[in-house]
Amino acid sequence: MLVIDSVKLLQEHTNIWRRNGDTIAFVPTMGNLHEGHLKLVDAAGEQAGKVVCSIFVNPLQFAPGSDFESYPRTLQQDIEKLKAHRVDLLFCPSDKTIYPDGMAVSTKVTVPGLSDILCGASRPGHFDGVTTVVAKLFNLVQPDVAVFGEKDYQQLLIIKRMVDDLFFPVHIVGVETSRETSGLAMSSRNNYLSDNERQSASALYETLQWVAGQVKQQGEISAEGVNTLENDAIERLKDAGFKPDYVRICDAETLSSPNESSPIAANHRSLRVLAAAWLGKARLIDNVPDT
Ligand code: PAF
């Protein structure tokens, strides 16, 4: 596995591969890799002849005063983990490479609407940071396929929308969330949990599954019924020690909430239940499909 921090070398290698007729699958990450990331890497290996992974803790997607400084950086361990999988090139650019003029970024990529709801409402600017860096990385790597986890479901939809709207010649593949045996979705931010918190943390997934089960059981639910279910879920999370941000039953494609004019009929509309909640110092997110 080549480990490279320069754009010039990255492009030298990827150009040779392309000239030889190889396709490229790309897995962008912020490092501190766990089993979930490695599943993305393996999925990438099934999609193309060459696999490129990146590790870049993107300052633009962190709000001032959030966990950018303390975000776990474990490059050597990450390299060892990737070496046990099929990765041809690991790109680890510096901040200066990605943002040569610093954080006063003049060109940004924004997907309005989808980026402003749910996690975007609690973390203003976060998704603009994500789409800007992903657009830069796509332009540098020029992959045929890029792989993202469904754990960040809103991020996955936003990136799909960006790719469609800007005609990026990249096929986006979503990979199912990897979970601990307790059901807790794997995330680098789980490192912020104490042992006790880690035990309570599975309540997030259990609550989402409970909501999805209720939706399925009820078949057709009014907007008011949706509201009641979301509020019940919030109470369940509070009982488990969480400080909930949101629990939402959404259209799986648009993330819109049902309203009086479009009640949910679970049998003919694809839904997704999404939640974000604080447990101690960790803001955990998770989501489940309606089946
Ligand atoms: O999901 C992540 O790890 C990040 O948001 C991403 C896509 C690598 C962009 O920095």
Side-chain angles (χ1 to χ4, degrees):
M1 182 177 76
L2 297 156
V3 182
I4 280 173
D5 61 6
S6 110
V7 168
K8 190 167 171 286
L9 282 177
L10 166 74
Q11 290 176 337
E12 270 175 27
H13 287 284
T14 52
N15 285 342
I16 292 171
W17 294 341
R18 264 187 294 273
R19 241 180 281 133
N20 290 342
D22 271 320
T23 51
I24 298 173
F26 177 44
V27 185
T29 79
M30 297 206 301
N32 194 233
L33 303 180
H34 50 65
E35 222 25 69
H37 293 111
L38 300 172
K39 281 231 180 85
L40 303 186
V41 164
D42 291 344
E46 289 166 14
Q47 298 284 332
K50 297 286 181 188
V51 175
V52 174
C53 182
S54 66
I55 293 182
F56 178 64
V57 184
N58 173 33
L60 200 63
Q61 69 189 75
F62 288 79
S66 65
D67 59 343
F68 173 67
E69 299 299 340
S70 58
Y71 196 85
R73 287 160 173 86
T74 50
L75 184 61
Q76 276 320 311
Q77 289 102 302
D78 292 346
I79 290 174
E80 290 313 313
K81 286 179 188 170
L82 290 174
K83 276 184 180 163
H85 292 254
R86 190 168 76 72
V87 178
D88 297 280
L89 191 153
L90 173 63
F91 180 50
C92 307
S94 66
D95 289 3
K96 188 86 186 143
T97 298
I98 299 295
Y99 300 112
D101 299 324
M103 280 307 98
V105 181
S106 46
T107 303
K108 278 192 190 171
V109 179
T110 302
V111 179
L114 264 184
S115 297
D116 305 324
I117 55 175
L118 305 173
C119 283
S122 324
R123 306 180 67 190
H126 165 69
F127 287 118
D128 296 351
V130 171
T131 40
T132 301
V133 80
V134 170
K136 283 172 179 261
L137 291 168
F138 280 0
N139 282 332
L140 293 174
V141 177
Q142 298 190 17
D144 300 277
V145 177
V147 182
F148 293 84
E150 283 186 350
K151 200 210 56 129
D152 298 296
Y153 190 77
Q154 186 176 5
Q155 168 175 284
L156 174 64
L157 290 190
I158 290 170
I159 287 164
K160 280 185 174 166
R161 176 64 65 81
M162 175 189 82
V163 160
D164 286 349
D165 286 354
L166 299 182
F167 305 107
F168 275 101
V170 185
H171 175 59
I172 303 298
V173 172
V175 172
E176 212 176 295
T177 304
S178 299
R179 299 185 180 280
E180 309 282 351
T181 35
S182 68
L184 174 65
M186 289 187 186
S187 164
S188 303
R189 289 195 167 96
N190 292 350
N191 289 335
Y192 300 157
L193 297 170
S194 67
D195 288 348
N196 279 345
E197 286 165 350
R198 202 171 255 272
Q199 286 193 351
S200 326
S202 57
L204 184 57
Y205 180 51
E206 285 155 17
T207 302
L208 289 174
Q209 280 185 307
W210 175 79
V211 174
Q214 292 293 310
V215 170
K216 200 174 164 67
Q217 210 179 328
Q218 295 183 27
E220 182 147 326
I221 319 174
S222 64
E224 198 189 328
V226 165
N227 237 312
T228 307
L229 268 183
E230 290 172 350
N231 288 337
D232 289 351
I234 295 271
E235 290 312 313
R236 281 174 179 247
L237 288 177
K238 283 184 185 163
D239 290 346
F242 281 87
K243 227 173 102 202
D245 181 352
Y246 64 82
V247 178
R248 287 286 158 71
I249 301 166
C250 298
D251 181 284
E253 298 297 315
T254 63
L255 296 186
S256 61
S257 294
N259 53 42
E260 288 309 336
S261 58
S262 69
I264 282 178
N267 51 353
H268 61 77
R269 201 171 148 186
S270 177
L271 300 172
R272 201 89 191 179
V273 190
L274 297 95
W278 287 90
L279 190 58
K281 281 188 289 180
R283 184 176 183 279
L284 303 180
I285 59 172
D286 202 352
N287 67 87
V288 296
D290 59 341
T291 51

